[in-house]
Amino acid sequence: LDWSNNMIIAKIIFKYENRNINPFSSYGNISPKTDKILLRDIEKEHTILNILEKAEFKVRSDYIYIEQEEHIVDFVFKIIPLLQEHSVIYYSESFKKLASRQKLKFSGALRLNTLTDILEFSFNIDGLDKDELESLLESIKLRKKYYRLKDGTFLPLDTNNIMEIAGLLDYLGLEPEDFKDNLAIIPKFRAFYMDQYIKKSNLKYIERNHSFKELVQNVLEPSDMDFAIPSELNAKLRGYQKFGFKWLKTLVVYGIGGILADDMGLGKTIQVITLILSDKKENGSIPSLVVAPTSLVYNWCAEIEKFAPSLNAAAISGSKEERLKLMENISEYDLVITSYPLIRRDIESYMEYKFRYCILDEAQHIKNPDSQNAISVKQLKAENYFALTGTPIENSLMELWSIFDFVMPGYLFSRSQFSKKYEVPIMGDYGQKELQELGKQIHPFILRRLKEDVLPELPEKIESKITVELTEEQKKLYAVYLHKIKLELQKELEEKGFEKSRFKILSALTRLRQICCHPYLFIENYAGESGKMQLLEEIIPGCIDGGHRILLFSQFTGMLQIIRDWLDKEKISYLYFDGSTPAAERGNLVRNFNEGAGSIFLISLKAGGTGLNLTGADTVIHFDPWWNPAVEEQATDRAYRIGQKKAVQVMKLVSKGTIEEKIYNLQEEKRFLADAVIQPGETLLSKMNREDIMALFEF
């Protein structure tokens, strides 16, 4: 083998004792005079020639050559080892130089600079200057098979070692030009994944300094951190709540955001209050902002008054004039609380301030990144951002991205990158590797504990589906309306198509659900009975006589009004809560119920399904099923949470042979994809195809 004029030149000799045969030459192969017969090993000759053929050699007179760079690299680094199994190879000094650098010697370091509080990633390749390093990194990033150095030698770039470097550059989103003086600055939140990646890929040449290792260890094991529970806290925290406080506090120390995703009822609020109280004691008073659902604004005020009265807190609500007046004094408070609807209206006023913490309660309210809720809160300025939610993913992975885009913008990359990298493969049922990868990414920044794991002392939760028979009048109405709407939909679909008929479909589904509850909801002169109402009239007196107190949820405020009329008639005491209930009154209603007022609490599912602590009840009735089981579970957990001393009975009323039964079955079959039907809030049917939706219109 020889290297000349940017070509590999090869001469092949099949040697049989004193006979040398060049298979590509018709000269010099004349047999010497001898009495011996030459028996050639044709099979072995063909093996060698086949290997050379794969190397894309071309023939010229009595030698062969390669001049394309890609074929040269393949031959040097992949095909020569195959030839060595069948032949002896000789090569010139120039060829030896060509293949001399088969391996690169990397060195690197991850260093948390304690003076500047930034994470530095340095990277070097021995023997390369800065300009050539950038070019080489560009080739690695582009997944090229080889790189040709300035001295003319070739480097293979498809080795495992280099592929690991390419993967790391991809994850970090680094470009070669980002390595100024061989040093790149990366966000601290990348430290945890990089630590895992280095260990998994066995990249021993990347050193990690003590501060870097300490950062990773402290966030992953916050219980080892020496953070004292503030003595001003009027509560005794459970073990897992102390851990949660230390986890939040550790993230604060390193300037990183996070999601506290504890199961509903485990006390996310008190863990945050403890954090705010601790920082006020250690670092003085700087206002923090909590954005919560309207129904929880005054609940936050009550919790602060109960557990941390030394905190100066205020609810920013009321008229525009009242809110602006309260905002003038924001700097005087330790904590201000407002609602999602109000933050949308007041966002420009809030942008004048920089808060210590910006905290989203029930953060699933920003799960849609295009919503005004999400757009508004992502304009807020704070030193640290936290999200509280018992359901970080209700329906789709993009919800998780949206919440992370608030707590740590850029951590899960851009929206389009996240969709391409994770959402599409995972939702397409072929992304097991991507699912594991995403899990590793988010693990350090989501703290989630389940009731059964941390509260073994919680009483039992008994869930039961109660199938209800429609009355004869209901059956007739249901059948007539079902027949009528199927004909109308068939015509609508033919004329307008499936996409433009979604509103009509949603309206039809709602009417069927209303008939199941009580036809009076949309037929004013209906004088008949309702099967569910008849059952409820039997259940409630028995529950009350047994000393039980009830939470009753329905999506239809009209249905709650029908139930109120019956309770008034029977002189059964109750409390009532729907979306029109003023925020200031909601906390009083919750407190009164927990202190014993009323036997029943009637609640609109949309208005009171999250955040409320209603452990005064031990029975939950879902009068009508909702498309998304996570929303029902949130409502149930108003009673099944810390402080509950009794077993909780959960009853779901389902009308037999109707759309309600189909909803219930859908919940059981596809709990993890509830979004495939209808999102909370009765948005349009989004992802079901025509066949799936039309199957709902069967009796």
Side-chain angles (χ1 to χ4, degrees):
L1 296 171
D2 189 19
W3 173 248
S4 177
N5 297 322
N6 291 322
M7 291 191 302
I8 291 178
I9 298 171
K11 288 187 178 181
I12 296 89
I13 300 170
F14 296 138
K15 190 174 182 64
Y16 296 92
E17 291 188 356
N18 63 337
R19 288 290 308 278
N20 294 333
I21 298 173
N22 183 339
F24 298 105
S25 174
S26 58
Y27 306 100
N29 289 335
I30 301 171
S31 300
K33 292 182 179 180
T34 176
D35 56 357
K36 293 182 179 180
I37 297 173
L38 174 60
L39 297 179
R40 294 172 60 175
D41 188 343
I42 299 301
E43 185 177 347
K44 190 169 183 180
E45 288 185 18
H46 281 174
T47 299
I48 293 169
L49 293 174
N50 285 337
I51 293 172
L52 293 169
E53 186 180 351
K54 289 178 182 176
E56 303 286 347
F57 273 99
K58 296 177 182 177
V59 180
R60 182 180 293 171
S61 63
D62 64 340
Y63 65 90
I64 58 177
Y65 67 97
I66 309 174
E67 56 186 350
Q68 281 187 273
E69 286 190 352
E70 187 173 344
H71 297 153
I72 289 170
V73 174
D74 281 343
F75 178 73
V76 171
F77 298 111
K78 294 181 180 178
I79 294 180
I80 285 180
L82 295 177
L83 285 172
Q84 286 174 325
E85 296 176 12
H86 306 282
S87 61
V88 178
I89 298 177
Y90 300 89
Y91 43 86
S92 66
E93 283 300 315
S94 60
F95 186 89
K96 183 178 180 181
K97 183 181 177 182
L98 173 72
S100 62
R101 296 192 62 160
Q102 294 195 29
K103 291 185 178 179
L104 296 173
K105 189 173 181 182
F106 297 101
S107 62
L110 277 165
R111 180 171 177 264
L112 180 61
N113 190 323
T114 53
L115 294 176
T116 59
D117 198 34
I118 59 175
L119 190 59
E120 301 170 342
F121 179 34
S122 61
F123 191 74
N124 292 284
I125 299 176
D126 285 0
L128 298 188
D129 60 29
K130 180 187 174 185
D131 291 339
E132 191 152 29
L133 175 63
E134 281 195 15
S135 298
L136 176 58
L137 289 176
E138 182 66 28
S139 296
I140 291 174
K141 188 173 176 61
L142 294 173
R143 295 293 202 280
K144 291 188 176 179
K145 291 184 177 181
Y146 66 93
Y147 177 77
R148 190 171 187 181
L149 295 165
K150 289 179 180 178
D151 63 8
T153 59
F154 290 91
L155 292 172
L157 300 182
D158 53 358
T159 63
N160 288 339
N161 202 24
I162 293 179
M163 287 297 101
E164 300 291 0
I165 294 295
L168 193 57
L169 293 176
D170 275 352
Y171 166 72
L172 294 172
L174 289 174
E175 300 296 335
E177 57 268 25
D178 294 328
F179 285 91
K180 296 178 181 177
D181 298 322
N182 296 354
L183 185 74
I185 305 302
I186 58 176
K188 279 185 292 184
F189 53 54
R190 299 287 182 215
F192 308 91
Y193 181 85
M194 289 188 73
D195 188 65
Q196 288 184 46
Y197 191 95
I198 289 166
K199 291 175 182 175
K200 177 187 172 186
S201 304
N202 200 27
L203 303 179
K204 294 179 180 179
Y205 56 81
I206 298 182
E207 298 178 357
R208 293 157 289 157
N209 76 342
H210 176 73
S211 296
F212 176 89
K213 293 178 180 177
E214 194 175 52
L215 162 65
V216 173
Q217 176 67 21
N218 289 343
V219 172
L220 296 180
E221 296 293 339
S223 56
D224 296 336
M225 297 293 283
D226 187 21
F227 296 128
I229 305 297
S231 57
E232 293 84 355
L233 185 71
N234 289 344
K236 185 177 180 181
L237 297 183
R238 294 170 180 262
Y240 73 88
Q241 291 173 329
K242 291 178 183 176
F243 183 95
F245 157 69
K246 288 187 174 185
W247 179 75
L248 291 168
K249 188 82 170 173
T250 304
L251 293 178
V252 169
V253 167
Y254 290 107
I256 300 171
I259 301 172
L260 183 57
D262 285 344
D263 207 357
M264 293 164 284
L266 290 183
K268 294 186 285 292
T269 304
I270 196 171
Q271 293 174 65
V272 170
I273 289 173
T274 307
L275 172 70
I276 295 170
L277 198 57
S278 171
D279 274 305
K280 179 183 179 180
K281 185 176 181 180
E282 294 174 7
N283 304 308
S285 181
I286 297 176
S288 293
L289 172 67
V290 169
V291 183
T294 303
S295 59
L296 298 182
V297 169
Y298 287 94
N299 184 67
W300 269 89
C301 294
E303 297 277 277
I304 292 165
E305 187 178 344
K306 179 179 179 181
F307 297 121
S310 63
L311 288 179
N312 190 12
I316 297 183
S317 60
S319 67
K320 181 74 173 180
E321 185 180 345
E322 290 169 329
R323 298 197 306 274
L324 290 174
K325 190 171 183 180
L326 284 165
M327 277 188 243
E328 290 175 1
N329 303 314
I330 276 181
S331 58
E332 299 176 8
Y333 296 105
D334 301 310
L335 186 64
V336 291
I337 307 108
T338 192
S339 67
Y340 287 102
L342 293 179
I343 200 76
R344 297 199 300 263
R345 300 177 201 169
D346 302 336
I347 185 59
E348 289 187 10
S349 299
Y350 282 103
M351 287 170 65
E352 298 177 15
Y353 302 94
K354 183 174 182 180
F355 298 96
R356 172 173 279 160
Y357 304 127
C358 185
I359 299 152
L360 300 188
D361 192 13
E362 302 295 346
Q364 62 271 23
H365 281 259
I366 67 159
K367 65 183 181 179
N368 178 358
D370 296 321
S371 67
Q372 285 303 308
N373 282 347
I375 293 168
S376 298
V377 300
K378 290 175 186 180
Q379 298 177 66
L380 295 166
K381 291 177 284 191
E383 294 174 15
N384 279 83
Y385 300 85
F386 293 108
L388 315 180
T389 174
T391 51
I393 305 175
E394 280 186 333
N395 306 309
S396 74
L397 287 176
M398 194 52 70
E399 296 171 4
L400 182 70
W401 179 87
S402 186
I403 297 175
F404 262 101
D405 190 46
F406 169 77
V407 297
M408 288 193 294
Y411 180 66
L412 290 182
F413 313 104
S414 70
R415 185 175 176 179
S416 59
Q417 286 173 318
F418 178 81
S419 181
K420 182 179 179 181
K421 190 176 180 68
Y422 294 116
E423 186 184 33
V424 171
I426 291 171
M427 299 308 288
D429 296 329
Y430 59 89
Q432 193 61 36
K433 178 184 173 184
E434 288 80 1
L435 189 61
Q436 293 174 357
E437 179 88 359
L438 179 60
K440 289 177 185 176
Q441 282 244 66
I442 66 176
H443 169 70
F445 309 112
I446 294 186
L447 182 60
R448 178 160 177 76
R449 281 80 59 88
L450 303 178
K451 287 194 188 80
E452 54 266 32
D453 296 331
V454 297
L455 292 178
E457 72 275 19
L458 257 185
E460 187 179 6
K461 178 168 69 173
I462 305 161
E463 294 184 294
S464 56
K465 169 193 172 188
I466 301 178
T467 303
V468 184
E469 192 73 57
L470 297 179
T471 65
E472 289 304 314
E473 297 99 322
Q474 275 180 296
K475 284 182 183 178
K476 290 174 185 176
L477 272 173
Y478 193 98
V480 169
Y481 187 79
L482 185 63
H483 179 70
K484 175 175 175 287
I485 196 61
K486 284 176 76 173
L487 293 176
E488 290 179 3
L489 283 178
Q490 189 174 357
K491 183 179 178 182
E492 174 110 349
L493 288 167
E494 288 174 358
E495 292 177 356
K496 297 183 179 180
F498 178 63
E499 290 300 324
K500 292 184 178 180
S501 303
R502 285 179 177 267
F503 186 80
K504 178 82 171 179
I505 292 168
L506 176 59
S507 176
L509 293 172
T510 301
R511 285 286 180 253
L512 290 174
R513 291 168 56 221
Q514 287 176 327
I515 292 173
C516 294
C517 290
H518 202 305
Y520 186 75
L521 288 175
F522 75 99
I523 301 175
E524 289 185 6
N525 59 353
Y526 180 77
E529 294 288 336
S530 155
K532 281 193 183 182
M533 197 62 210
Q534 289 175 339
L535 177 64
L536 196 68
E537 291 169 9
E538 295 176 14
I539 291 173
I540 287 178
C543 282
I544 294 173
D545 291 343
H548 300 290
R549 301 179 73 228
I550 304 165
L551 302 183
L552 191 148
F553 292 96
S554 174
Q555 295 122 60
F556 302 111
T557 54
M559 190 65 236
L560 293 176
Q561 185 58 53
I562 292 172
I563 297 170
R564 289 179 76 177
D565 293 341
W566 176 77
L567 292 172
D568 287 334
K569 178 184 171 185
E570 297 297 315
K571 294 183 171 51
I572 296 173
S573 61
Y574 65 91
L575 299 179
Y576 179 85
F577 181 167
D578 67 15
S580 65
T581 306
E585 290 183 22
R586 299 180 182 192
N588 291 333
L589 287 169
V590 170
R591 184 166 52 253
N592 292 342
F593 183 79
N594 284 333
E595 290 175 357
S599 300
I600 302 176
F601 206 148
L602 303 179
I603 303 174
S604 164
L605 186 65
K606 294 178 189 176
T610 58
L612 304 178
N613 185 336
L614 290 164
T615 52
D618 61 358
T619 301
V620 178
I621 298 174
H622 291 284
F623 193 85
D624 38 85
W626 182 232
W627 300 95
N628 191 335
V631 175
E632 285 189 0
E633 288 166 8
Q634 282 183 322
T636 295
D637 283 348
R638 300 312 96 224
Y640 191 64
R641 58 198 296 121
I642 295 172
Q644 182 57 263
K645 306 298 183 186
K646 301 178 182 179
V648 175
Q649 174 75 40
V650 182
M651 292 177 269
K652 298 183 179 183
L653 311 189
V654 178
S655 298
K656 183 180 178 182
T658 70
I659 188 172
E660 287 192 341
E661 209 160 48
K662 293 180 182 294
I663 294 171
Y664 183 88
N665 292 336
L666 191 64
Q667 287 179 348
E668 298 304 305
E669 293 167 6
K670 294 186 178 181
R671 297 180 76 84
F672 66 100
L673 280 181
D675 181 51
V677 190
I678 300 180
Q679 295 179 0
E682 290 200 331
T683 55
L684 295 180
L685 299 175
S686 58
K687 294 182 181 176
M688 294 182 73
N689 59 35
R690 175 173 177 165
E691 290 71 27
D692 292 334
I693 290 177
M694 295 312 294
L696 295 171
F697 294 94
E698 299 296 333
F699 200 93

